[in-house]
Amino acid sequence: MTKSLIVSPAAVRAKGTLTFPTIPVNAYDRSFATELKHFGPEGLIAMLHDMIVIREFEGMLNSIKTTGGWNGVEYNHKGPAHLSLGQEAAAVGQAAELDADDYIFGSHRSHGEILAKSFSAARRMDQAKLGQIMSTFLDGDTLRYAEKIGYGTPDELTENFIMFGTLAEIFARKVGFNRGMGGSMHAFFTPFGSMPNNAIVGGSAPIATGSALFKRVNGKPGIVVSNIGDASMACGPVWEAMMFAAMDQYRSLWEASDGGNPPILFNFFNNFYGMGGQTAGETMGYDILARVGAGVNPEAMHAERVDGYNPLAVADAVRRKKELLLAGKGPVLLDTITYRISGHSPSDASSYRTRDEVEAWEAADSIAAFSDLLVSKKVITETGVSDLRGRLVERLTKVLALASSDTELPRVDATMIESVMLSNGHVEAFDDRAPELLQPLAENARVKALANKVRKTTDADGKAVSKVKMFQFRDALFEAMAHRYAIDPTMAAWGEDVRDWGGAFAVYRGLTELLPYKRLFNSPIAEAAIVGAGVGYALSGGRAVVELMYCDFLGRAGDEVFNQASKWQSMSAGLLKMPLVVRVSIGNKYGAQHSQDWSALVAHIPGLKVYFPASPTDAKGMLNLALRGTDPVIFLESQLLYDIGEQFEADGVPTGYYETPEGQPVVRREGTDVTIATLGATLYRALEAADTLQSKYGVSAEVIDLRFVAPLDYEVLLASVRKTGRLVLASDAVERGSFLNTIATTVQSVAFDALDAPITVVGARNHITPAPELEDLFFPQPGWIIDAIHERVLPLPGPVPASNATEGEIVRRARLGV
Amino acid sequence: MARVVVMPQLGNTVESCLVTAWLVAVGDTVDEASLLCEIETDKSTMEVPSGVSGTVLALLAEEGDDVPVKEPIAVIGAPGESVADALAEAGFSGAEPLSEGAAPAPETPAPAPAAATPAPATAVAAPVTASAASPRAKGLASASGLPLSAVAAGTGPHGRVIERDVRATLDAGPALTRGAAATADSFASAASGTGLGGRVTTSDLTTPVPAAVAAASSAAAAVDTAFPGGFADTPLKGVRKIIAERMMESLASSAQLTYTATAPAAGLMALRKRLKDSDPALGMSGITVGDLVGYAAVRTLANHPLLNAHLANNVLRKFDSVHLGMAVDTPRGLLVPTLRFASGLTLREFSAQSKALAGEAIGGSISPDLLTGASFTVSNLGAFGIESFTPLLNVPQVAILGVDAIFPRATIKPDGTVGAEQRIGLSLTADHRVIDGADAARYLKDLAVAIANIDLTVMG
């Protein structure tokens, strides 16, 4: 969507054919002499070293899981172990060409990648920096234990550190790389460029894309690799990530100096199985995975199939693709074939493949082949290989002996876990360079227009202000966005139709003129990639604001919200921050699939903050709060409110910067007889109900806007309930499973003795949202609130209930499931 | 091993005692005879000796705590010993030390332990009310001393008693005292009654002065000393709290009224003089006028068993013997020790035993068992010059005799001339539910005769 690109009928209707680039398959062709010159003998031996480490490490875990011990050390490992026996060459070949600045994101089967990447990055790093990383990581906790293992040279201490840190993490130890909070499927070590490994298949693709976007937008060095499996090629988020990474705009609309497409390498470690489903031949139709690149962009993603059983072939491909990526010509797809000798997990009986097939791959074993090559080329002797293996087995035995010691190595306690669920930080700017703006903020047309608006619903004479002259809820959001954009150079926002259009609800109108493309751009309609990229961007060190046009689309970004944004701060033991704001608009009048308040879904997920402002002042104060924080915030906005003005603050929406106190509900109308607490736009219907209760029945209702779902400070609500003795909770979410039920339970638990009636929840019906003409059958109405009070809380003199709010009706509806 | 000191069982009926003051602190060194703390039952106080020597390791109750008997109150042992272990050893693993610390000085190992047996379970199930009432309504009723049964009808959903129903009952409930009623006309309303049983008193009516008046008077007060000047708040506890509750219960649960009469006191005074001047070897010289009247009251009850009775749960229990409660003014407040089987005693025994009981009550050493069980009570305020008063029943007793001072009163002699006569006042409070006015009057009449002829009465 931009006026600079014309959709011409003549052009798009012209006759023609499509041709595709040739996609190389196992095209590695470099002489050994060239490789020896490139890596040097030490480099080649180092690769062999790393392959042996992975083989022994994974073999050790296999033995621990299946026999309860290895090499005389007994241990019962309760957690999972998804091993990469057989896949060593692929991981090592890739890492051989990557620096610490190059990031790899992986999967549940990434022990080998962590080890390979860490060894390679450590070798390519100067000793002073390496020493500094090891001695400061987790305040030196991990290093202290690595030192206990015994070592002769600094390299051996590094070996201890990497192997012990990884194994201690797998064993959930407090001194593991992530204090045991990640475990086998999620271990990683960011100082060496080993980024979060993801137990959701394909989960790393959108996150790695966001990390690459962070590098591109902020001019950071290095490339980003998404290491995912062949079976993830069918996952929607993987496709979405490739589409997001391949967008034309990076080259057609962004500044040339921005550097082109994000440097993202989608590397598929293709071991031909997704657990047991055989991809090529059974569950997919691509024949050769690399073919898929041809469907993404004219460059076919520079796709290649690479022989992952030859570390040199993998290194060669990564080296060439890294150049393309740094030049902005990505994304790249690599189909790195490999084979998993071991089962999917120790419980895998391999019923889906023949013994012959496994033996054929064992005969082609990459480690045997590579060591034979190095021996035949006189880079190392047979004895040298067996000495190397012997030395590594001995070291690993010591590492295991320590890592398995329950007496030496404690685990974290619940207090520690609680402490890393949220970071609760406040960061003005994540980088100290000047924020890039296309114009001074003060010259922005919308900023100037807003200066003339009346910042509340009535003017100085107390007369109602017309909508066009009024500073609206959407303007309040704009002010918060513009403020932080002008302070934090890393802040970027994307979503559907956010640029030019200004967002479907005109919140961003004016930002197009203010910001370069890279800080505000339209995404494909790809909610998983929109949010997933935000996750990767944020955990890489930038502030991201992404938008879901409708809350109903949350399901499309389900994994990214529920498993990714919410989890990585705590799974990294607080090492990563997640300054990600997900703006989510809640609709109405659009029927069943565009009108749902799903606050309960996000309330249920630990690790998220959930805000839901209902007034313009709160919209700005709460977005300001979210945009200075370091936690993932689901920022809910009701479409009923975008055009409202401020009616609670006497002086209107403040012009300067301020933040709403986090977690604090606010009393919007004081009363003594009953408390009505609301979440979202229902506030205004509750106020109507309060007016009627007062005028018609003499009942004084206190109305509270909860404003926050999580965190939520109950004190204001409890104080009110202790005063009135009665609580009615109302929101536009359907009643069943509504977050209001959690509030009801909590208040009842804490303030039971203060209650004069059962706490009553008034939600939307457990129906689809019907047509706008019928919405008063679905959304809570002022009359419903009064009826509920009359039937269940405080019988009123002589009302005629318009709705059935009786207990019997509650039971009837539940019985019918409606 | 550290030893646990438990709350002693003070009499068979005592279930718990109040810790009124700690006499030691954590870290203090104590021996067997050292006093750890003062405790108080509803009617007596005493000090708890350590029983063991060592260092105070932990105090398990705060001053003001009501601790069930046989529950741990302190742990004594050698410095550094574990309080938790000692409690666990003695079977109190759940107890939490209030204060615990390592004592500085080393100490000899504790000898014989105080008897520390596991306490019986003390959990008491909350009473279940039949009618549905909201928690808030129950709380308000309880705080206002209003039985929920007094709330006529619940107006909540399904007839649930809710807050407004309790409020309505409270608003409608309090009757005005006569004085308040007389003053009420000049005031709009009284917010709530602070008098007995929630009655609105005159002071309640004068408290909520109109706003304008309040403003004016506060302005005036600003010139002078700030209203209301200094004051001291003392929370009711111990004996005082018990007395307060008992007295309220007495008034709230009985239909008592007081009958007053006088009796010629010349005989009393003459006999008292004779006794006082008697040979001390007889052991009669300490018998007082109070003893004589009390003795006469007990004797007279023999013909009025209706007054020597308990009324509880609609059952009237008339006692064969008179167990005489004697109101005693003590430093902790009013105590009423019981002179058991008083009707079987000679005057000398009656006097000696009542003096001993009063002494124990005043000294705080009386057994709590002797503070209950009376069937009739005498309260003597004669020494204070009280002419007449309305003693309150010790429920479930149905009668109490107040003994007033002896005053000279005008009398018309048989020859028609006016003279003076010493007479003693008698104030009998009786529960009208079982004792009609004539019953009470007959008793007073007989008592007056017995007193007038005290020299004969004491012989019977």
Side-chain angles (χ1 to χ4, degrees):
Chain A
M1 183 201 317
T2 168
K3 291 174 182 171
S4 66
L5 301 175
I6 305 302
V7 182
S8 149
V12 300
R13 299 182 71 202
K15 185 172 184 176
T17 58
L18 279 182
T19 55
F20 295 88
T22 301
I23 294 177
V25 174
N26 299 325
Y28 173 71
D29 181 24
R30 292 223 315 172
S31 71
F32 186 78
T34 310
E35 297 292 17
L36 183 61
K37 189 166 171 226
H38 178 68
F39 289 107
E42 321 76 38
L44 295 171
I45 293 171
M47 291 167 81
L48 180 63
H49 165 281
D50 296 353
M51 289 165 69
I52 293 173
V53 167
I54 297 171
R55 174 65 56 87
E56 297 303 329
F57 190 92
E58 298 287 68
M60 172 269 291
L61 282 175
N62 193 45
S63 175
I64 293 283
K65 282 303 286 183
T66 54
T67 71
W70 182 74
N71 232 11
V73 182
E74 291 188 4
Y75 183 63
N76 173 28
H77 172 52
K78 291 183 177 172
H82 298 89
L83 307 176
S84 58
L85 286 165
Q87 301 189 183
E88 300 85 355
V92 170
Q94 178 187 86
E97 293 291 351
L98 299 178
D99 298 307
D101 287 335
D102 297 318
Y103 294 166
I104 62 168
F105 288 80
S107 68
H108 57 290
R109 195 182 310 288
S110 286
H111 298 164
E113 293 145 42
I114 301 163
L115 295 168
K117 183 69 165 67
S118 294
F119 277 118
S120 170
R123 264 182 220 114
R124 295 161 76 102
M125 190 176 278
D126 71 61
Q127 287 297 311
K129 187 175 178 199
L130 177 60
Q132 195 246 340
I133 286 174
M134 295 199 296
S135 62
T136 56
F137 188 74
L138 301 185
D139 302 324
D141 284 357
T142 311
L143 183 62
R144 267 191 287 284
Y145 283 90
E147 286 171 343
K148 283 188 180 184
I149 293 164
Y151 59 99
T153 64
D155 282 353
E156 289 178 349
L157 180 59
T158 306
E159 274 177 356
N160 287 353
F161 182 85
I162 293 170
M163 290 196 281
F164 174 77
T166 307
L167 188 58
E169 180 58 30
I170 291 169
F171 289 170
R173 303 296 185 190
K174 193 177 175 181
V175 294
F177 278 160
N178 315 109
R179 295 220 182 271
M181 300 292 291
S184 168
M185 296 199 289
H186 314 283
F188 60 99
F189 189 69
T190 56
F192 290 156
S194 170
M195 300 297 278
N197 291 307
N198 214 305
I200 304 297
V201 169
S204 275
I207 295 175
T209 302
S211 184
L213 180 69
F214 171 77
K215 286 185 183 295
R216 184 57 80 233
V217 169
N218 297 282
K220 302 295 182 190
I223 66 165
V224 180
V225 182
S226 159
N227 283 323
I228 48 185
D230 44 315
S232 76
M233 183 52 96
C235 297
V238 173
W239 271 95
E240 291 190 12
M242 293 195 298
M243 294 297 140
F244 192 100
M247 287 192 292
D248 285 331
Q249 64 176 297
Y250 301 119
R251 284 178 245 175
S252 64
L253 295 171
W254 292 28
E255 295 299 318
S257 57
D258 292 340
N261 288 61
I264 171 77
L265 165 55
F266 293 98
N267 181 63
F268 292 82
F269 280 132
N270 181 0
N271 65 17
F272 300 94
Y273 289 97
M275 260 182 81
Q278 202 161 345
T279 48
E282 185 182 16
T283 63
M284 301 285 186
Y286 51 49
D287 178 34
I288 287 180
L289 188 149
R291 182 193 309 277
V292 172
V296 174
N297 67 3
E299 292 137 6
M301 296 178 79
H302 309 284
E304 280 186 41
R305 164 166 283 187
V306 183
D307 178 9
Y309 256 45
N310 180 355
L312 298 175
V314 177
D316 169 59
V318 169
R319 186 173 55 248
R320 288 184 287 108
K321 303 307 181 189
K322 184 174 171 179
E323 274 180 37
L324 285 169
L325 291 169
L326 291 176
K329 296 176 181 170
V332 165
L333 184 157
L334 280 184
D335 170 9
T336 305
I337 60 166
T338 182
Y339 195 80
R340 160 167 63 71
I341 301 293
S342 53
H344 164 76
S345 64
S347 62
D348 175 1
S350 285
S351 53
Y352 49 87
R353 57 185 180 181
T354 66
R355 187 62 223 161
D356 289 348
E357 179 183 299
V358 176
E359 283 172 2
W361 282 94
E362 281 172 342
D365 182 37
S366 63
I367 295 179
F370 191 56
S371 63
D372 287 352
L373 175 68
L374 297 191
V375 169
S376 72
K377 300 292 185 183
K378 308 221 177 328
V379 173
I380 191 169
T381 62
E382 290 272 11
T383 320
V385 174
S386 68
D387 286 353
L388 176 59
R389 187 185 304 274
R391 187 178 72 74
L392 289 173
V393 168
E394 187 188 337
R395 183 157 302 280
L396 185 56
T397 308
K398 289 180 187 168
V399 168
L400 173 63
L402 179 61
S404 62
S405 167
D406 287 334
T407 50
E408 289 251 13
L409 295 179
R411 294 192 167 88
V412 300
D413 56 19
T415 308
M416 186 273 170
I417 299 175
E418 181 182 290
S419 75
V420 297
M421 286 310 301
L422 296 167
S423 50
N424 289 314
H426 296 292
V427 176
E428 287 290 335
F430 278 95
D431 206 342
D432 49 16
R433 66 183 198 277
E436 292 172 59
L437 301 175
L438 298 179
Q439 60 184 174
L441 191 54
E443 289 177 20
N444 181 264
R446 189 174 188 186
V447 171
K448 284 197 258 185
L450 293 182
N452 298 320
K453 303 267 183 177
V454 179
R455 299 179 76 95
K456 53 181 196 168
T457 50
T458 51
D459 63 16
D461 304 326
K463 287 198 295 187
V465 179
S466 74
K467 294 278 186 196
V468 289
K469 289 183 183 164
M470 189 168 63
F471 183 90
Q472 301 177 352
F473 190 96
R474 54 167 61 92
D475 301 322
L477 296 172
F478 168 84
E479 281 194 348
M481 289 292 289
H483 173 87
R484 189 54 57 190
Y485 260 127
I487 289 177
D488 188 341
T490 70
M491 176 162 148
W494 58 90
E496 293 151 17
D497 310 298
V498 295
R499 199 176 177 94
D500 300 309
W501 196 309
F505 313 105
V507 171
Y508 289 171
R509 196 156 39 82
L511 289 183
T512 304
E513 294 72 30
L514 181 70
L515 299 163
Y517 258 99
K518 67 176 183 180
R519 302 191 70 194
L520 178 74
F521 61 91
N522 293 327
S523 69
I525 298 182
E527 280 81 8
I530 290 170
V531 179
V535 171
Y537 192 97
L539 66 77
S540 298
R543 185 178 294 290
V545 183
V546 301
E547 180 178 321
L548 295 179
M549 197 189 287
Y550 279 80
C551 191
D552 313 68
F553 308 163
L554 184 60
R556 278 287 178 91
D559 183 59
E560 286 62 36
V561 172
F562 302 150
N563 281 321
Q564 310 298 344
S566 54
K567 305 286 197 296
W568 285 112
Q569 291 200 101
S570 43
M571 283 206 291
S572 71
L575 296 172
L576 296 176
K577 299 288 178 279
M578 192 63 66
L580 169 67
V581 175
V582 184
R583 290 186 46 240
V584 183
S585 180
I586 294 176
N588 63 90
K589 83 187 178 199
Y590 293 106
Q593 295 177 330
H594 279 69
S595 308
Q596 299 172 87
D597 169 352
W598 278 352
S599 52
L601 295 186
V602 282
H604 186 65
I605 305 298
L608 294 176
K609 289 184 172 178
V610 183
Y611 299 0
F612 198 167
S615 73
T617 298
D618 287 342
K620 179 175 170 180
M622 290 166 72
L623 191 53
N624 276 341
L625 178 70
L627 291 177
R628 198 168 66 94
T630 57
D631 289 302
V633 176
I634 307 299
F635 198 88
L636 303 170
E637 304 164 11
S638 169
Q639 287 170 25
L640 289 168
L641 303 180
Y642 280 126
D643 68 350
I644 66 161
E646 177 57 45
Q647 57 175 271
F648 303 113
E649 301 295 328
D651 299 329
V653 180
T655 51
Y657 183 84
Y658 63 93
E659 291 173 2
T660 304
E662 186 167 61
Q664 299 297 321
V666 61
V667 176
R668 288 307 186 197
R669 175 193 175 115
E670 294 196 355
T672 54
D673 297 334
V674 59
T675 302
I676 307 174
T678 64
L679 194 57
T682 324
L683 168 67
Y684 297 91
R685 273 160 277 151
L687 288 166
E688 271 185 58
D691 285 343
T692 306
L693 284 168
Q694 185 66 62
S695 60
K696 211 165 165 188
Y697 304 109
V699 169
S700 160
E702 179 144 303
V703 179
I704 291 179
D705 179 6
L706 294 164
R707 301 198 287 196
F708 293 87
V709 172
L712 176 60
D713 185 343
Y714 276 85
E715 287 306 329
V716 168
L717 188 56
L718 289 170
S720 178
V721 171
R722 289 193 176 108
K723 175 173 67 175
T724 65
R726 306 170 187 110
L727 177 60
V728 176
L729 294 155
S731 89
D732 286 354
V734 295
E735 174 277 329
R736 186 171 60 221
S738 164
F739 179 67
L740 300 182
N741 290 305
T742 299
I743 295 181
T745 307
T746 307
V747 172
Q748 177 229 252
S749 298
V750 178
F752 180 70
D753 290 329
L755 292 175
D756 197 39
I759 296 172
T760 299
V761 171
V762 178
R765 294 294 303 273
N766 300 315
H767 298 171
I768 58 167
T769 315
E773 293 84 350
L774 304 172
E775 277 187 351
D776 59 359
L777 300 179
F778 176 76
F779 288 119
Q781 303 298 312
W784 296 17
I785 294 173
I786 294 170
D787 290 347
I789 290 172
H790 174 64
E791 296 282 13
R792 309 215 289 271
V793 180
L794 188 69
L796 304 168
V800 179
S803 63
N804 190 342
T806 62
E807 290 95 337
E809 178 68 0
I810 294 174
V811 173
R812 186 192 73 85
R813 291 176 184 179
R815 186 171 62 239
L816 297 178
V818 295
Chain B
M1 187 67 199
R3 301 297 177 188
V4 176
V5 180
V6 301
M7 179 62 77
Q9 168 104 44
L10 294 176
N12 293 330
T13 59
V14 175
E15 291 174 353
S16 66
C17 301
L18 198 68
V19 176
T20 48
W22 282 105
L23 305 175
V24 295
V26 168
D28 286 358
T29 302
V30 297
D31 59 24
E32 289 91 325
S34 299
L35 298 176
L36 296 183
C37 61
E38 288 177 3
I39 59 170
E40 194 169 273
T41 68
D42 50 358
K43 294 212 167 164
S44 75
T45 65
M46 67 171 283
E47 286 140 341
V48 179
S50 166
V52 296
S53 63
T55 298
V56 178
L57 298 180
L59 303 180
L60 305 170
E62 267 184 277
E63 291 184 357
D65 279 359
D66 191 22
V67 181
V69 298
K70 296 179 185 168
E71 283 287 339
I73 54 173
V75 177
I76 293 170
E81 281 193 280
S82 163
V83 170
D85 287 353
L87 288 169
E89 178 77 15
F92 300 111
S93 50
E96 290 284 332
L98 172 75
S99 56
E100 182 178 348
E107 192 48 74
T108 51
T117 51
T122 52
V124 177
V128 178
T129 53
S131 65
S134 75
R136 193 180 182 89
K138 289 176 185 171
L140 177 61
S142 168
S144 312
L146 181 74
L148 268 179
S149 56
V151 179
T155 67
H158 315 299
R160 183 185 300 129
V161 172
I162 59 177
E163 183 189 18
R164 69 181 176 191
D165 304 323
V166 177
R167 287 217 179 278
T169 306
L170 289 172
D171 289 348
L176 297 182
T177 62
R178 204 179 303 172
T183 322
D185 289 347
S186 51
F187 292 89
S189 69
S192 61
T194 59
L196 294 175
R199 279 179 170 75
V200 175
T201 65
T202 309
S203 66
D204 293 324
L205 291 169
T206 53
T207 304
V209 287
V213 178
S217 61
S218 67
V223 180
D224 240 313
T225 312
F227 175 82
F231 55 79
D233 288 338
T234 307
L236 293 190
K237 61 180 192 177
V239 170
R240 178 44 55 193
K241 186 155 177 254
I242 296 289
I243 292 171
E245 289 166 4
R246 291 280 169 84
M247 293 301 105
M248 280 309 300
E249 186 194 352
S250 171
L251 282 172
S253 66
S254 68
Q256 53 187 289
L257 74 161
T258 304
Y259 309 85
T260 56
T262 61
L268 278 177
M269 296 168 75
L271 183 54
R272 162 66 185 143
K273 190 172 181 345
R274 266 189 70 197
L275 291 165
K276 192 177 174 189
D277 296 343
S278 67
D279 186 339
L282 289 172
M284 308 280 273
S285 59
I287 294 173
T288 62
V289 169
D291 291 339
L292 293 172
V293 175
Y295 193 74
V298 169
R299 287 286 155 155
T300 308
L301 281 173
N303 295 324
H304 300 270
L306 187 59
L307 278 73
N308 183 42
H310 284 177
L311 175 61
N313 302 322
N314 284 326
V315 174
L316 181 71
R317 173 180 293 171
K318 290 188 265 193
F319 291 88
D320 295 343
S321 301
V322 177
H323 307 294
L324 185 66
M326 304 185 303
V328 178
D329 177 36
T330 80
R332 281 166 302 284
L334 172 70
L335 292 181
V336 188
T338 304
L339 183 56
R340 293 179 172 182
F341 296 101
S343 45
L345 301 177
T346 65
L347 175 63
R348 186 174 55 195
E349 290 166 339
F350 182 92
S351 172
Q353 289 187 23
S354 54
K355 275 188 182 56
L357 279 174
E360 288 174 26
I362 291 166
S365 60
I366 191 160
S367 162
D369 285 351
L370 292 177
L371 293 173
T372 59
S375 56
F376 181 85
T377 297
V378 172
S379 176
N380 187 346
L381 293 181
F384 297 102
I386 294 298
E387 235 179 307
S388 172
F389 67 111
T390 60
L392 296 188
L393 289 177
N394 278 324
V395 289
Q397 295 168 41
V398 296
I400 179 171
L401 177 66
V403 180
D404 308 324
I406 296 172
F407 275 95
R409 294 171 195 254
T411 184
I412 296 175
K413 292 188 244 181
D415 60 3
T417 61
V418 175
E421 182 189 18
Q422 296 283 9
R423 292 187 76 89
I424 186 167
L426 301 167
S427 302
L428 176 75
T429 296
D431 190 339
H432 211 318
R433 290 179 298 169
V434 288
I435 301 170
D436 293 334
D439 299 328
R442 276 190 280 272
Y443 173 74
L444 274 180
K445 182 165 177 283
D446 286 358
L447 178 59
V449 170
I451 289 171
N453 301 286
I454 190 69
D455 51 341
L456 299 179
T457 301
V458 301
M459 293 167 69

